[in-house]
Amino acid sequence: MTRAKSLAEPRIVVAHREHLWWLLAEAAQLEHMIMCQYLFAEFSLEDGTADGLSQQQAEAVDRWRKVLHEIAVQEMLHLALVANLMSAIGAAPTFGRPNFPQLCGYFPRGLQLELLPFGERALLHFLYLERPEGMLRQDAQGFVPTAPPLTPVQADEALPRGQEFATVGHLYRGIADGLRGLVARLGERAVFVGSPRAQATPELFRWPQLIAVTDLDSALAAIEEIIEQGEGARGDWREAHYGRFLAVYEDYRRLRQSDPSFDPARPVMAAFTRQPFDVPAAQPLISDPATAHVGELASLAYELILHLLTRFFTHTDETEEQLGILVGSAIDTMAGALRPLGSALATLPTGPAHPGFTTGFAFEMYYAMGNLVPWREPAWALLYERASLLAERCGAALHAAGADEAVRRAQQCAAKVADTLAAHVPAELRPR
């Protein structure tokens, strides 16, 4: 590995606000999908000595699970920072994204995304994604760019479109340069037109590193926070995502050398409840009925989280208490419903069509995700309705889905979230 600025790295063009809007929306999708990759690998890990690991191996798996979880949480922080940047320039944040896998054509040709169980291939892929700008490193086996590079954007183009960038850091530095250029041409106040009240704050999200974006200085600080956590500050990547994954990779390789039969991951495959609407190639489908039931519950929980976050970042007249409820409900649903259901799926059979495989939660997007109406009461009525549906479906699945403890936890979590939301929805808007 070497670190040297590549002459082939194209310049990212930000001639007007819509170019910046496009780039930030792409950054949000990348952060979201990278986070899903890390959670998928975390869910795939075996459960210590209960799954037949030695004490030494179980301790290593616990270390790796903690690293994956912590880095996934930081990717959630990055997603919130990107949402703050979007809100600050007047663009509504979005949490929609394409389904996995995205191997060529959607993002720049060098950025391919797939859900992989924990192992050497996954770790090499993560190292490639998190590599510092200018570092030469190959992606894991099977990730071969086949799409042609995107045609460079010209400064006189009025409509935005995709641009080539070699690394995530390259993208964010292009965004930072674009912000500086826009401020120099338009003036700071004309660029940062968003309401400060639309910003995610450390107090609401329980992240001290979260930066509310209201001007150029805070915008650049938010971007630098993302870059430093991912690739490291000023080239010092040891404590950044790249360095932490490298330490996990070296730890994993040592244990594999001492015991070549050691496999810390369950035999999971990313499997869908139905063919994803936006992926042409046929994807593995869950054919075991009980497993499909749990997969649907996990997808409902995931959808609810995204809608809660979308409402927070596009809220209108919510009180401070209600903003806290949106954030808290999203965090609670992630920890109390999606995580146990996703982990349980990894222990359940995919079905007769895929013998020997268990089910990896595919973070399924059933449709091109939209937004709720601007008015608070009907928007909250729909959030309440969806949380209630999740609780109801979990209750019906108990003792029938093969993951009783996870389903019970999800049911209790969803019922609590629904009750919390109900207190802020007029009675006439709630189902009878």
Side-chain angles (χ1 to χ4, degrees):
M1 295 179 295
T2 61
R3 182 175 175 84
K5 186 72 173 178
S6 171
L7 296 177
E9 287 181 358
R11 175 177 171 269
I12 292 177
V13 173
V14 179
H16 47 71
R17 190 183 308 269
E18 283 67 23
H19 283 156
L20 188 60
W21 190 338
W22 175 287
L23 292 168
L24 287 169
E26 190 164 43
Q29 290 184 329
L30 271 174
E31 298 290 3
H32 190 167
M33 296 185 77
I34 289 171
M35 174 193 72
C36 292
Q37 288 185 128
Y38 299 161
L39 289 173
F40 185 92
E42 179 195 345
F43 293 163
S44 77
L45 285 169
E46 292 188 335
D47 189 18
T49 55
D51 282 338
L53 301 179
S54 71
Q55 188 62 41
Q56 180 189 26
Q57 291 168 345
E59 290 171 357
V61 167
D62 284 343
R63 288 196 302 272
W64 303 338
R65 182 181 287 108
K66 181 180 178 183
V67 171
L68 284 164
H69 177 70
E70 289 175 350
I71 293 179
V73 168
Q74 288 187 335
E75 295 296 341
M76 297 177 204
L77 168 63
H78 297 177
L79 183 54
L81 287 167
V82 173
N84 276 357
L85 287 161
M86 294 186 74
S87 292
I89 67 164
T94 177
F95 294 92
R97 57 162 187 80
N99 274 298
F100 288 96
Q102 291 296 331
L103 296 180
C104 62
Y106 188 88
F107 294 111
R109 65 194 305 268
L111 279 169
Q112 302 182 67
L113 303 172
E114 186 175 7
L115 297 168
L116 302 172
F118 184 92
E120 181 161 351
R121 185 166 178 248
L123 290 170
L124 289 173
H125 181 53
F126 299 164
L127 285 166
Y128 177 80
L129 291 175
E130 297 284 4
R131 73 196 188 282
E133 187 179 357
M135 179 179 282
L136 303 180
R137 187 175 190 107
Q138 293 294 316
D139 204 343
Q141 184 178 4
F143 291 97
V144 180
T146 57
L150 298 170
T151 305
V153 168
Q154 303 302 312
D156 62 352
E157 291 188 45
L159 298 175
R161 57 184 174 87
Q163 302 190 49
E164 283 291 325
F165 47 88
T167 63
V168 176
H170 180 188
L171 168 62
Y172 282 113
R173 289 189 174 92
I175 290 171
D177 288 344
L179 278 166
R180 292 187 187 97
L182 284 181
V183 167
R185 291 197 302 276
L186 305 178
E188 191 169 48
R189 188 66 187 92
V191 172
F192 294 97
V193 297
S195 168
R197 197 166 180 274
Q199 294 290 304
T201 62
E203 295 76 20
L204 278 172
F205 276 76
R206 310 168 200 172
W207 275 322
Q209 306 95 329
L210 192 54
I211 297 167
V213 176
T214 55
D215 55 19
L216 181 60
D217 285 345
S218 54
L220 296 178
I223 292 169
E224 196 58 32
E225 180 71 27
I226 296 171
I227 293 172
E228 287 191 12
Q229 285 191 350
E231 66 175 52
R234 296 173 296 280
D236 184 4
W237 42 256
R238 286 169 294 182
E239 298 302 319
H241 293 181
Y242 180 82
R244 297 184 74 187
F245 276 134
L246 186 61
V248 170
Y249 177 69
E250 292 171 347
D251 198 16
Y252 169 78
R253 292 278 292 174
R254 281 193 296 270
L255 284 173
R256 286 278 293 174
Q257 286 170 0
S258 63
D259 180 2
S261 67
F262 171 49
D263 187 352
R266 298 184 175 97
V268 302
M269 67 186 320
F272 294 80
T273 62
R274 67 183 73 166
Q275 173 66 26
F277 71 94
D278 56 348
V279 177
Q283 297 301 306
L285 302 181
I286 305 171
S287 55
D288 181 274
T291 305
H293 213 125
V294 180
E296 182 186 66
L297 296 177
S299 294
L300 281 171
Y302 179 50
E303 179 201 53
L304 177 59
I305 293 166
L306 299 184
H307 277 304
L308 288 163
L309 291 173
T310 301
R311 181 62 195 177
F312 172 85
F313 281 102
T314 57
H315 69 265
T316 53
D317 63 345
E318 274 85 346
T319 65
E320 290 299 314
E321 178 192 6
Q322 289 165 341
L323 293 178
I325 287 171
L326 290 171
V327 174
S329 296
I331 293 171
D332 290 347
T333 305
M334 176 68 201
L338 182 56
R339 182 172 296 281
L341 291 170
S343 298
L345 273 172
T347 69
L348 300 178
T350 306
H354 304 285
F357 284 96
T358 59
T359 307
F361 178 53
F363 293 89
E364 192 164 354
M365 302 290 289
Y366 284 99
Y367 54 90
M369 187 176 173
N371 201 348
L372 303 170
V373 295
W375 302 278
R376 185 189 63 78
E377 287 185 351
W380 279 60
L382 297 187
L383 292 173
Y384 162 73
E385 183 177 284
R386 209 60 178 166
S388 299
L389 177 65
L390 175 59
E392 176 188 317
R393 290 293 180 90
C394 286
L398 278 173
H399 311 302
D404 282 358
E405 181 56 32
V407 174
R408 183 178 294 106
R409 286 180 59 191
Q411 192 275 334
Q412 292 171 347
C413 172
K416 180 182 176 182
V417 168
D419 287 345
T420 303
L421 294 170
H424 299 266
V425 178
E428 63 269 21
L429 298 185
R430 290 183 237 150
R432 294 178 183 176

